[in-house]
Amino acid sequence: MRWLRAHHRLFITLITSIAGGCVFYFLHIPLPWILGPMTFVLLGSTRFKNRFAWNKSLQNTGMMIIAYTMGLSFTATVLHEISRHLPKMLLMTVILVLFSVALAAILTRLTGGDFLTMLMGTVPGGLSQVVLLAQETKGVNVTIVTVMQVMRLMTIIVMVPLLLFSPIVGAKHSNALAPLAGEMGATTAAGQSILINAALFALVCVLFAWGAGKLKLPTAPLLGPLFGTALLQILGLSGPELPPIVLIAAQICIGAFLGLLFKPAEFTNRFKTLALALASSLLLILGTYLQSLILSADESMSLLTALLSLAPGGMDQMSIIAHETEADVSIVVVYQLFRLLFMFFVVIPLLKLVVDRLQNKNRQSRAGS
């Protein structure tokens, strides 16, 4: 009881998050265990101020678990596929990033807002990763970044399946019954102890997260474990799959964190910003569709596979859709994983560099005046 009184705000947030996840799950809303907690915590913290709080350690733990599951997809086979498709993947990813920069510039002019805020809101990185970077960056409106990223993700989750099963693409549901996790996840190879492997992967995730933090890499709780897990996978070790309840718990930790990032008082020009965010998301999907037409032109890849490979949504969501259709799942994972790593190791560090230089320039201007 003493612990409960000392941490009552954390407990309230946890219960609210679980309730939100359950409601969204039973309503069959996409990403229920992230969007449900985020929505319920947002509503609760807005209505009852100073009643909600979250622990940074829980947030980081959730990030590390998600990073581990992403790293499991990075095997020697995937590395070979990346090298084979590297020129196309690099070209398509760079075009997508440049398109996002152009959208950010247009949104900045139309809204009169901050360019860095708009850029982080439109860049097709992971929702939690980009929001975490925005939280670490001074001068960026985290609420607007979160709203725009959620709008992009939801638009893609809704529109991409509609486009896939429309006469334009003509996708059909696959009869495959094997769960995606069984195909994509790591299985423990013969001669490898599950317990020893689990302990090794856990230790590496923690050490790499600590090391990434010491090196001051952006989104260290995500980048470190992702890189460490991928390294072990490439060396031939197989990380054990996590039980679904662990993945749900990780998503709840992230969803609660995202919900508390929303600051409605800081969200000015709500209708205009939401409308422009929706328009930019639709334009991003249109640009992706045009890219997929180019990628599938040589007939080495179907339009369905190309579209899912390039869609700027979450790697896990696109992989699941690929598994449920006639798309080539391995190619989709390769392209999505490359874009994810490109965002982590190229785009986000460049963003951080641009942010630092602009902030130093502003400080020098104020000092000179």
Side-chain angles (χ1 to χ4, degrees), residues 118-160:
M118 295 301 163
L119 182 58
M120 289 189 181
T122 56
V123 68
L127 168 64
S128 54
Q129 300 93 295
V130 175
V131 171
L132 185 60
L133 176 63
Q135 188 189 29
E136 296 173 352
T137 306
K138 294 181 180 179
V140 171
N141 191 318
V142 181
T143 296
I144 292 181
V145 171
T146 308
V147 169
M148 293 180 68
Q149 285 290 336
V150 170
M151 181 70 73
R152 175 186 62 81
L153 183 61
M154 291 302 296
T155 304
I156 289 169
I157 289 174
V158 173
M159 293 301 298
V160 167

Side-chain angles (χ1 to χ4, degrees), residues 34 38 59 62-63 66-67 70 125-136 145-146 149-150 152-153 219 222 250-251 253-255 257-258 261 340 344 348:
I34 288 182
M38 183 182 72
Q59 166 198 329
M63 291 282 188
I66 296 300
M70 290 179 176
L127 168 64
S128 54
Q129 300 93 295
V130 175
V131 171
L132 185 60
L133 176 63
Q135 188 189 29
E136 296 173 352
V145 171
T146 308
Q149 285 290 336
V150 170
R152 175 186 62 81
L153 183 61
T219 63
L222 204 72
Q251 293 178 70
C253 289
I254 295 173
F257 154 67
L258 294 175
L261 284 181
L340 178 70
F344 279 169
I348 289 181

Side-chain angles (χ1 to χ4, degrees), residues 284-305:
L284 199 59
I285 293 175
L286 176 61
T288 300
Y289 175 68
L290 295 177
Q291 282 186 281
S292 65
L293 290 176
I294 298 173
L295 189 61
S296 61
D298 60 1
E299 298 184 357
S300 62
M301 185 185 303
S302 68
L303 177 60
L304 170 62
T305 299

Side-chain angles (χ1 to χ4, degrees), residues 335-355:
Y335 273 78
Q336 289 286 340
L337 185 59
F338 176 82
R339 181 174 60 81
L340 178 70
L341 295 175
F342 187 85
M343 292 296 168
F344 279 169
F345 293 106
V346 179
V347 175
I348 289 181
L350 282 177
L351 270 178
K352 193 171 180 59
L353 181 63
V354 170
V355 168

Side-chain angles (χ1 to χ4, degrees), residues 161-223:
L162 290 177
L163 182 60
L164 287 176
F165 295 105
S166 70
I168 298 175
V169 178
K172 297 179 181 179
H173 282 285
S174 171
N175 292 324
L177 298 177
L180 181 65
E183 291 186 9
M184 305 299 301
T187 56
T188 305
Q192 294 185 22
S193 168
I194 295 178
L195 291 178
I196 293 177
N197 274 17
L200 177 61
F201 273 85
L203 178 61
V204 167
C205 285
V206 172
L207 289 178
F208 272 66
W210 176 82
K214 288 295 182 182
L215 293 174
K216 297 185 178 179
L217 296 178
T219 63
L222 204 72
L223 278 183

Side-chain angles (χ1 to χ4, degrees), residues 9 15 17 63 68 134 197 302 325 334 338 347:
R9 293 196 301 166
I15 295 300
S17 300
M63 291 282 188
Y68 169 76
N197 274 17
S302 68
T325 61
V334 164
F338 176 82
V347 175

